[in-house]
Amino acid sequence: MQIVLAPMEGVVDHLMREMLTQIGGYDLCVTEFIRIVDQRLPARVFHRICPELQQGGKTLAGTPVRVQLLGQEPHWLAENAVRAVELGSPGVDLNFGCPAKAVNKSRGGAVLLKQTEQLYQIVKAVRDAVPVEYPVSAKIRLGYDDTSLTLANAEAICAAGASSLAVHARTKSDGYRPPAYWPWIAKIKQHVDIPLIANGEIWSAADAALCQQQSHCQDIMLGRGALAMPNLAQTIKQQQAVMPWPQVLQLLMHYSEFEITGDKGKYYANRVKQWFSYLKLQYPQAACLFKQLRLLTKSTDILTLLTYTLQQQKTSA
């Protein structure tokens, strides 16, 4: 079984990738998307989204990190895909699943699921341009408004030469509302001969097992569940116990040091609140702490609260 850490714009940046891969269980990470319009982007854009390019295309824990591109022009996607691998990305991923209105309005992401031929042309252009030893993967949803083109889209991506296909088992219209329709991935599997990766609504080891059973896929991709339970990959792969709350607090402190000293310090307050919105789904203690934390805007105040809470945990232990 391979476990992939999903790309989540504004959430899973290089700092989060470093932390989660240090905990372990991941075989591959995919970056937040790089938006491609009508030019070959400079190296600095790739390095900003994927600093791991400067350390061999891997996190410090040794997990490969694949650059993801989003756009609608085959030529420019191909040009930038070549640049990505030249800069050190161990392959390229193509985003056909992003549900964001702004992205779809500019003909990127999930809206391309309405255009099967365009999917084919994009994947083929990128596959033809990128040296054969580098994987070209893609991520889709089941469709835009419905599943009428699901099989045709998957077949087109496969025929164009994609190395693998991650399937978020919901349509764009479904958003993130449960359930995820994992049996649809099993249907797709009957029509394509490339590896499939199942994604959507995997919050626990039990969910992962059920997803594998219903999708007929061994490989899975974790997104929001990985943020709600930081060692989710290890609970699935190694049958580890769920990470206890005091250890999660230590992790939050570690993340805070990363964020505040890093180049994204100004986003720290929003980032940590966003992470808490997922943690509280798994940990009741996070829900209580979030009530205090959400009122704070300064990094120093948030750090003080986390430090105090951790000390209280140690005292009561």
Side-chain angles (χ1 to χ4, degrees):
M1 170 181 31
Q2 301 281 298
I3 299 182
V4 182
L5 181 60
M8 296 177 65
E9 193 195 6
V11 185
V12 182
D13 61 359
H14 71 282
L15 299 177
M16 189 64 77
R17 291 193 294 269
E18 286 291 356
M19 206 164 48
L20 292 177
T21 57
Q22 281 176 24
I23 294 170
Y26 292 99
D27 301 283
L28 175 69
C29 299
V30 181
T31 70
E32 302 166 271
F33 67 75
I34 297 176
R35 183 78 170 95
I36 306 301
V37 183
D38 57 2
Q39 61 179 313
R40 195 168 192 244
L41 295 176
R44 68 176 182 275
V45 175
F46 291 85
H47 287 146
R48 184 175 69 245
I49 298 295
C50 186
E52 295 96 337
L53 293 174
Q54 296 172 304
Q55 54 195 39
K58 297 179 179 180
T59 67
L60 293 175
T63 307
V65 182
R66 190 175 296 171
V67 167
Q68 185 183 75
L69 304 180
L70 178 148
Q72 72 279 353
E73 296 295 338
H75 170 74
W76 291 114
L77 284 162
E79 287 282 313
N80 284 279
V82 170
R83 168 147 285 187
V85 298
E86 287 175 347
L87 291 171
S89 179
V92 177
D93 190 70
L94 297 169
N95 182 324
F96 302 127
C98 179
K101 287 183 180 178
V103 170
N104 292 170
K105 198 172 181 181
S106 57
R107 293 182 60 225
V111 75
L112 289 168
L113 298 173
K114 295 179 176 181
Q115 303 171 43
T116 302
E117 177 60 23
Q118 190 70 2
L119 293 179
Y120 175 84
Q121 293 300 336
I122 288 171
V123 176
K124 188 173 190 312
V126 173
R127 179 67 280 174
D128 288 349
V130 171
V132 69
E133 62 267 27
Y134 293 98
V136 172
S137 56
K139 187 181 181 192
I140 63 171
R141 282 176 171 251
L142 295 180
Y144 193 80
D145 293 315
D146 55 45
T147 56
S148 59
L149 292 175
T150 304
L151 298 179
N153 287 339
E155 288 170 346
I157 289 168
C158 177
S163 311
S164 63
L165 178 62
V167 182
H168 183 148
R170 284 181 276 227
T171 65
K172 184 269 180 190
S173 296
D174 290 331
Y176 292 96
R177 294 188 304 274
Y181 302 96
W182 299 321
W184 255 106
I185 302 175
K187 292 182 187 178
I188 294 171
K189 193 172 184 182
Q190 294 174 357
H191 291 259
V192 302
D193 58 3
I194 58 175
L196 298 183
I197 302 161
N199 175 232
E201 285 307 296
I202 301 173
W203 299 93
S204 66
D207 289 339
L210 187 59
C211 173
Q212 289 174 318
Q213 178 188 339
Q214 293 187 2
S215 69
H216 298 176
C217 278
Q218 284 302 300
D219 298 341
I220 58 175
M221 177 178 279
L222 304 179
R224 295 174 301 152
L227 299 175
M229 188 194 301
N231 71 328
L232 177 57
Q234 290 289 49
T235 70
I236 295 168
K237 266 194 175 175
Q238 307 294 337
Q239 293 78 51
Q240 280 188 4
V242 175
M243 182 179 286
W245 175 242
Q247 197 173 333
V248 175
L249 275 175
Q250 289 276 18
L251 202 61
L252 281 161
M253 293 296 296
H254 186 46
Y255 178 72
S256 300
E257 292 167 13
F258 259 138
E259 275 282 15
I260 290 173
T261 58
D263 60 347
K264 294 188 176 183
K266 60 184 177 181
Y267 305 120
Y268 168 71
N270 289 336
R271 290 280 175 131
V272 78
K273 289 175 186 178
Q274 196 170 32
W275 192 8
F276 259 87
S277 70
Y278 294 108
L279 285 171
K280 67 182 183 177
L281 300 175
Q282 177 67 39
Y283 299 94
Q285 303 95 321
C288 295
L289 186 55
F290 185 62
K291 290 178 182 177
Q292 302 174 64
L293 186 141
R294 66 188 178 86
L295 301 173
L296 305 177
T297 56
K298 293 182 179 178
S299 300
T300 50
D301 293 340
I302 292 174
L303 199 55
T304 298
L305 175 61
L306 292 176
T307 303
Y308 173 77
T309 306
L310 184 58
Q311 288 172 344
Q312 290 293 102
Q313 287 280 339
K314 288 179 179 177
T315 303
S316 61

